[in-house]
Amino acid sequence: MEQLKELIMKGNAKETVERVRKLLEGGSDPGGLLQEVMIPAMDEVGDLFQKGEYFVPEMLVAARAMQQGLTVLKPRLVASGIEPIGKVIIGTVKGDLHDIGKNLAVMALEGAGFEVIDLGTDVAPERFIDAIKEHKPQVIGMSALLTTTMLAMKDTIKAIEDAGIRGQIKIMIGGAPIRQEFCDEVGADFFAPDSTAGRNYARNVVTGEA
Amino acid sequence: MDIARTLLKMKAPGERKPDFERFRRAITTNEPGPVTVGDIFADFETVGNLLNEPVMDYLKLAEDPDLKITFKDLWSGYKYVSQTIRFCCLTGWDYAFAFSAIPFKGVSVQISENTSSEVEDGKRGWLNDNQGPIMSWDDFERYPWPSNIKAINAVSRTMAKRVPDGMKVMVIPGGVFEWTTWLMGLVPFSYALADQPDLVDAVIDKVNGLIHQVVEDIMSEPKVGGIFMGEDLGFFSGTFVSPKVLREKFLPRTKEIVDLTHEAGGVFVLHSCGNMYAVMDDIIEIGVDAKHSFEDKIMPVEEAHEKWGDRIGIIGGVEMDVIAQGTEEQVRTRTRKILEACASKGRYVLGTGNSVANYVPQRNYLAMLDEGRKWNLENFGREY
C-alpha cells in the first residue's frame, strides 16, 4: 500500500497500474485502495504543490499516474457501488483560452474523489447554466487569466442568479488576476489561490463545512 | 499625431531627445536623476491607437498557417518600423522595441476576440499548453528548424538603421524556457522531463543555439542597445518548473546569451512574469541588468526594489489591474507611490506591470507617463 502511494507521488504511471492490479488480485478492497492510499497520495501531492516543494511537472506526472491507476480501479469501484464524493463543474470563462490552471484544479479535484465535468475554455454563461441544470453539481469552478477576461465571472454569476439556480451551488473562482476583493465584489463564495485550496473548499462544501 | 502630442503635452519634435545612455544608466547604476520610461513592448493596436492610424496586425498573419506575405504586408511592415519608433519617441522611451521572433512552425496559438477594452477589433493569441509540434524524437528529427537568421532580424535591423540619434533598439528574441515549452507544449514538456529528459535537452540546445545566432547577428548593429528577453518563468504561487530544473537546464543557457550581449556592449533585460523569485538571486548572478514584469498580488514592485534594487535594475510595476481598469486618479496614485519608493533610490524605470497591452486604456497609460514627468519636475526641475 505504502509503495503504491510512493509510486503515485513520484508519477510512475506504469508501475502504479501494475501495483493497483496486483493489490486487487491480492484481495485488497477497491474502496480502501482509493480512500486510504490513492486519494491521500494526491492530497500529499497537492499539499507539496501548495508548499512550493512540487511544481507543475511533478503535479502533472502524479495526476497521470493516479488517472492510469484509476482506469484499473474504476470497474471494481463501480461494481462495489462506490460513488464519487461529489460533483464539480469547472471551466475557463468566456473570452479566455488559458487552461493550465483550470486543468491543475481538475486533477486535484479528481484526485480527491470528485466527479469533475470540465467544460473547457471560453465557456459562455449559458453553458455553465445548462451544465448546472443537467449535472446538478455542488460546486462550480471558474478560471481566468487576464484582468479583462475575469470580468466575465461577474456576468456568469449574474446569469446563474437570473436563472434562479444560484442557491443550489457554491461558486469558487481562481486565476492569476483574482483577489479576495474581486471575489467579494462579484458575489462568488470562495477565492481559490491555488488548486489545493480549491480542492479543500470543494471537500468542505460536500461535508457541509462550507 | 497632433492629438497624441497634445494629450502627451509633448514638446515640439527635437526638444526632447531620446538617449539610450539614460536608460542604460537608469538600470545599471543608482545615480539619482529624472525617471525614464519603458516596457518590453506595446501591442500593435496600442501603437495604432496612439498614432491614430492603422498598424500592421501580425496576429492576423499568424492565423494563416501558410504565412503568405504580400507586397502590401511588406509595405505595412516597413511602415510598422517607423510607427514603432514614433510611438516610442512620443511616449518618452529611450529605445524602440523590435521583435526578432524565431518563426518556429507549428507553435499552437489560438486567437480569441473581445479581450480589449480599448480597441474595437482587439484580439489576443493564446498558447495551447496541451500540445506542441515537438512531442517525440520523430517530431524532433523531422522538425523544419528555422535557419534564415538575417530574415529573423530583418525588422530589428531596419529599425536600428532608422532610429533617431540617441535612440537605440532593444531586441526581443524570446527566451529559452518559453520557446522550449511552446515547442513541446507545457503539459507534454512536463511529461517529457520525467519520461524523455534527453529530448528536452535536445530541444533546449536547438532553441538556445538559434537564439544565440539571432543575438550574435543583431548585436553587430551599432544602434542595437541590447536584448529584452521575454521569458515567463512563473505563475501566481511559484515557478512552473522547480528552481533545480531551471538552474540545471535553463539558466546556464540564458547566461550564454547574457554574456554574448555584454561582450557586444549591450544591456540584457529579462521580462519574466509570475512568482519566479526563488531564482531571483540566480538571475542577478548570471548578469541580467534589469528585471521587468511585476504583479502586486505576488510582490509589489516596491518590495522587489527594496530587496534587489541595489543589485539589478527594476522596470515597471504599475499593476495591470489598476492601469487596465482603474480610474486615471488611481493610476496616478499608484504611479506616484512607486516613484517615491523606487525612482527616488535609482535603478528604476517607470512602466506597466507587464506591457502596454491592447486592453490598457490610452488615458491611463498617458496618466502614468504624465505622473512620471510631474515627479521629475518636482524633484529635478525638469520633465525628462
Side-chain angles (χ1 to χ4, degrees):
Chain A
M1 294 269 202
E2 203 48 44
Q3 196 190 355
L4 175 60
K5 191 176 170 191
E6 282 276 301
L7 289 169
I8 293 172
M9 288 182 65
K10 285 191 176 157
N12 192 329
K14 201 175 159 194
E15 287 186 37
T16 297
V17 168
E18 285 307 309
R19 191 74 198 138
V20 171
R21 201 167 273 143
K22 271 189 189 151
L23 286 166
L24 289 173
E25 282 166 8
S28 292
D29 166 42
L33 275 187
L34 181 68
Q35 297 296 339
E36 288 157 35
V37 185
M38 297 174 77
I39 289 177
M42 281 309 289
D43 275 359
E44 211 161 314
V45 168
D47 293 344
L48 289 168
F49 184 73
Q50 197 171 43
K51 278 193 247 171
E53 292 175 34
Y54 263 31
F55 298 85
V56 173
E58 287 85 352
M59 180 94 168
L60 287 171
V61 291
R64 181 178 62 173
M66 175 78 174
Q67 277 166 351
Q68 293 191 14
L70 277 176
T71 56
V72 180
L73 195 65
K74 254 187 186 162
R76 299 285 298 274
L77 290 171
V78 172
S80 312
I82 295 166
E83 305 235 324
I85 63 166
K87 215 181 263 186
V88 179
I89 286 176
I90 199 163
T92 303
V93 293
K94 189 170 168 54
D96 196 313
L97 300 181
H98 195 72
D99 69 353
I100 186 77
K102 186 252 312 160
N103 291 345
L104 290 172
V106 170
M107 287 168 202
L109 289 161
E110 285 183 341
F114 282 92
E115 180 186 349
V116 182
I117 294 105
D118 182 357
L119 301 179
T121 58
D122 194 17
V123 182
E126 309 80 61
R127 282 190 57 215
F128 274 107
I129 291 166
D130 291 346
I132 294 166
K133 287 178 178 167
E134 185 187 344
H135 299 284
K136 305 198 178 346
Q138 289 95 348
V139 181
I140 298 294
M142 286 190 265
S143 165
L145 177 73
L146 294 180
T147 192
T148 48
T149 55
M150 73 178 186
L151 301 177
M153 289 177 172
K154 191 174 186 175
D155 300 336
T156 307
I157 294 172
K158 172 82 169 47
I160 290 171
E161 281 168 0
D162 292 347
I165 50 177
R166 177 69 179 91
Q168 299 168 23
I169 45 153
K170 295 285 186 184
I171 298 176
M172 61 179 178
I173 61 174
I178 313 294
R179 293 161 182 249
Q180 187 59 50
E181 299 82 41
F182 180 75
C183 177
D184 299 338
E185 185 193 321
V186 299
D189 297 300
F190 184 72
F191 159 52
D194 56 44
S195 54
T196 308
R199 174 202 73 189
N200 292 342
Y201 176 72
R203 261 191 189 141
N204 289 341
V205 170
V206 295
T207 56
E209 292 167 48
Chain B
M1 176 75 115
D2 290 334
I3 297 168
R5 188 169 291 125
T6 308
L7 286 168
L8 283 157
K9 297 170 192 154
M10 286 291 294
K11 297 179 178 190
E15 278 189 41
R16 194 268 173 195
K17 288 198 165 110
D19 177 5
F20 185 78
E21 292 314 309
R22 176 168 40 202
F23 174 70
R24 187 197 297 269
R25 269 197 309 279
I27 61 170
T28 57
T29 77
N30 286 88
E31 281 174 32
V35 72
T36 183
V37 299
D39 268 290
I40 182 168
F41 60 76
D43 274 346
F44 302 108
E45 298 97 329
T46 306
V47 174
N49 213 17
L50 186 92
L51 300 178
N52 201 21
E53 58 190 71
V55 169
M56 185 185 196
D57 181 353
Y58 280 97
L59 278 178
K60 210 163 195 169
L61 278 181
E63 277 178 282
D64 177 2
D66 296 322
L67 199 67
K68 294 188 189 81
I69 296 175
T70 63
F71 179 76
K72 194 180 160 209
D73 293 332
L74 281 175
W75 171 240
S76 301
Y78 187 72
K79 249 176 76 180
Y80 170 73
V81 167
S82 71
Q83 288 170 323
T84 302
I85 294 170
R86 277 157 53 211
F87 174 89
C88 293
C89 285
L90 273 170
T91 49
W93 298 25
D94 289 313
Y95 58 90
F97 61 90
F99 296 97
S100 281
I102 305 170
F104 286 116
K105 207 172 167 64
V107 169
S108 185
V109 177
Q110 299 158 277
I111 308 293
S112 77
E113 312 279 346
N114 302 326
T115 60
S116 168
S117 60
E118 187 66 0
V119 288
E120 222 172 77
D121 190 27
K123 291 182 179 177
R124 189 140 290 269
W126 302 79
L127 280 161
N128 186 340
D129 292 322
N130 301 306
Q131 64 181 58
I134 304 177
M135 297 192 287
S136 67
W137 273 110
D138 268 1
D139 295 338
F140 179 84
E141 300 297 348
R142 287 185 205 143
Y143 191 73
W145 295 98
S147 57
N148 193 342
I149 304 299
K150 295 285 178 201
I152 293 167
N153 278 329
V155 170
S156 302
R157 179 160 275 119
T158 307
M159 201 173 288
K161 293 191 187 307
R162 295 183 64 186
V163 284
D165 284 348
M167 181 173 259
K168 287 196 177 185
V169 177
M170 287 295 284
V171 174
I172 309 164
V176 192
F177 178 78
E178 276 201 354
W179 278 128
T180 301
T181 52
W182 294 2
L183 276 167
M184 299 186 80
L186 184 60
V187 175
F189 161 83
S190 296
Y191 292 146
L193 271 179
D195 305 337
Q196 309 179 81
D198 51 346
L199 176 62
V200 174
D201 288 338
V203 176
I204 292 172
D205 282 340
K206 271 282 188 189
V207 167
N208 193 53
L210 278 163
I211 295 175
H212 197 287
Q213 288 179 60
V214 166
V215 171
E216 191 168 43
D217 176 59
I218 200 64
M219 286 308 299
S220 66
E221 281 294 327
K223 284 201 163 181
V224 167
I227 298 299
F228 213 130
M229 182 177 274
E231 180 82 316
D232 292 346
L233 299 176
F235 62 110
F236 167 54
S237 57
T239 47
F240 285 115
V241 299
S242 68
K244 183 172 177 280
V245 169
L246 287 175
R247 285 178 192 126
E248 281 173 10
K249 293 188 184 295
F250 293 99
L251 296 180
R253 266 86 166 198
T254 305
K255 184 178 185 311
E256 288 175 25
I257 310 297
V258 174
D259 290 346
L260 189 61
T261 308
H262 286 163
E263 280 158 24
V267 294
F268 187 97
V269 180
L270 182 78
H271 164 102
S272 188
C273 299
N275 189 343
M276 42 62 71
Y277 299 112
V279 292
M280 190 67 175
D281 285 334
D282 303 76
I283 296 295
I284 295 169
E285 195 65 31
I286 64 172
V288 170
D289 293 300
K291 154 83 166 68
H292 177 246
S293 186
F294 295 91
E295 300 97 343
D296 281 356
K297 189 177 147 182
I298 297 171
M299 183 184 289
V301 67
E302 297 96 318
E303 199 181 324
H305 194 272
E306 178 70 31
K307 280 188 176 178
W308 298 291
D310 56 340
R311 296 157 66 203
I312 189 169
I314 300 289
I315 304 178
V318 177
E319 167 63 30
M320 291 306 282
D321 194 29
V322 174
I323 202 161
Q325 296 192 63
T327 61
E328 191 184 315
E329 209 41 52
Q330 285 169 325
V331 172
R332 286 181 184 277
T333 305
R334 186 75 193 96
T335 304
R336 179 56 69 134
K337 202 168 159 239
I338 292 170
L339 291 169
E340 297 296 348
C342 304
S344 60
K345 294 179 196 150
R347 235 177 190 161
Y348 176 74
V349 170
L350 179 61
T352 73
N354 181 283
S355 59
V356 199
N358 61 9
Y359 53 78
V360 171
Q362 190 182 89
R363 64 177 185 283
N364 281 356
Y365 184 61
L366 298 183
M368 182 195 87
L369 297 177
D370 187 54
E371 202 59 30
R373 286 195 300 273
K374 276 188 181 162
W375 187 84
N376 286 342
L377 200 57
E378 288 164 23
N379 288 277
F380 299 95
R382 56 197 160 105
E383 289 188 331
Y384 304 103

